[in-house]
Amino acid sequence: MTTAILSALAEEQQGLLDLLHQPRRVTRAGREFWQGELHGQPVVLALSRIGKVAAATTATTLIEAFGVQRLVFTGVAGGVGPGVQVGDVVVATEFVQHDMDASPIFPRYQIPLYGRERFACDAALSALLSGASHAGLVRLEGQFDAKTGRGGRAVHHGLIASGDRFVSAAEEARRLHADLSDAGHPPLAVEMEGAAVAQVCHDYAIPFAAVRTISDRADDTAHVDFPQFVRDVASRYALVIIDEFVRTLPSR
Ligand code: ADE
């Protein structure tokens, strides 16, 4: 059974590429895909690219052209839920699109013609990813305390909101959280791709799980915190979490 490992950023993918056995590069849809093995598991590594449409194209190509049977996504996100801090990890249980609004024809946040606002992640795959995140944080203990200004990182589980915006203003983050919460969808974090990949995986009935490391608080310093965090910290998180995850994956 082939597993797709999607990374949001090249920095996150590099460590996995270094570990890939028998790497074969294939170009499709203007994107590079890397086939090979990680800990004996057949995998395809890909960069999602940024934004919902680009990520949906990558996910669809992984399923249609490479026949992947499960898909796991790593990346970074802005923390918007209470207590979701830089350096924490969020394992997604569900995704919502915070910029979907076809009202008054459909209720705000509802995906037209699906009759739903949220797409759920696969419970079994997410449980493995959660275990891998805990194990990964133990492996990284003490390494980034100076960079994140704290130790004792948490693993959260819950809803992530995706949209085609980098949220970098405290007032916008507050409103986004309040509006979603009022509609019954309080998010822990925001990013720009996960809900699109979740929808594609729903369409193809492919198990999907996602983990995001919190790089910023989606506030007025987010644009400064984000690139620094990606360079120094997120790439290491993604590597240890996926390394732990692949070791525990059943082969069928
Ligand atoms: N990914 C990481 N931080 C983000 C933010 N603040 N907004 C959107 N996507 C993000």
Side-chain angles (χ1 to χ4, degrees):
M1 185 183 270
T2 304
T3 306
I5 301 175
L6 263 181
S7 308
L9 304 156
E11 289 87 341
E12 292 179 303
Q13 193 190 48
Q14 189 53 53
L16 293 173
L17 273 177
D18 294 341
L19 290 183
L20 193 66
H21 285 270
Q22 298 167 338
R24 296 178 303 283
R25 190 181 68 185
V26 179
T27 303
R28 280 284 168 100
R31 290 149 163 78
E32 275 187 0
F33 296 84
W34 288 90
Q35 295 177 299
E37 282 191 6
L38 283 179
H39 297 299
Q41 291 276 355
V43 297
V44 185
L45 307 182
L47 291 178
S48 63
R49 301 212 172 180
I50 297 171
K52 297 197 304 280
V53 174
T57 300
T58 307
T60 305
T61 307
L62 280 164
I63 295 166
E64 286 282 2
F66 294 89
V68 304
Q69 289 134 311
R70 53 194 171 202
L71 202 152
V72 172
F73 197 168
T74 69
V76 292
V80 293
V84 181
Q85 301 186 55
V86 171
D88 286 354
V89 167
V90 176
V91 177
T93 55
E94 292 179 286
F95 280 93
V96 65
Q97 294 184 32
H98 66 72
D99 55 356
M100 174 57 75
D101 188 356
S103 62
I105 302 165
F106 296 94
R108 188 175 181 191
Y109 305 120
Q110 190 171 107
I111 313 293
L113 311 183
Y114 285 77
R116 59 162 76 201
E117 289 83 11
R118 306 175 179 207
F119 289 100
C121 298
D122 181 74
L125 211 54
S126 300
L128 289 182
L129 202 51
S130 175
S133 300
H134 283 284
L137 286 189
V138 169
R139 267 169 66 179
L140 293 174
E141 219 163 64
Q143 283 192 31
F144 299 113
D145 296 1
K147 295 251 166 26
T148 60
R150 55 188 276 267
R153 290 170 198 85
V155 178
H156 307 267
H157 300 83
L159 178 67
I160 295 182
S162 310
D164 289 325
R165 275 184 75 74
F166 185 83
V167 182
S168 58
E171 176 50 27
E172 183 185 346
R174 191 202 59 73
R175 181 187 298 270
L176 185 152
H177 186 268
D179 287 355
L180 278 166
S181 299
D182 288 349
H185 314 294
L188 295 177
V190 288
E191 41 82 299
M192 301 179 67
E193 298 85 18
V197 177
Q199 187 171 333
V200 170
C201 289
H202 166 86
D203 288 346
Y204 284 94
I206 296 281
F208 169 61
V211 62
R212 293 268 174 175
T213 307
I214 300 303
S215 56
D216 56 81
R217 280 287 304 173
D219 58 12
D220 302 62
T221 62
H223 64 291
V224 181
D225 302 339
F226 170 83
Q228 216 170 47
F229 188 90
V230 166
R231 198 179 53 238
D232 300 340
V233 187
S235 48
R236 291 281 300 142
Y237 269 60
L239 182 59
V240 293
I241 291 172
I242 292 298
D243 185 59
E244 291 286 341
F245 172 77
V246 173
R247 287 171 196 268
T248 56
L249 259 184
S251 48
R252 54 182 62 243

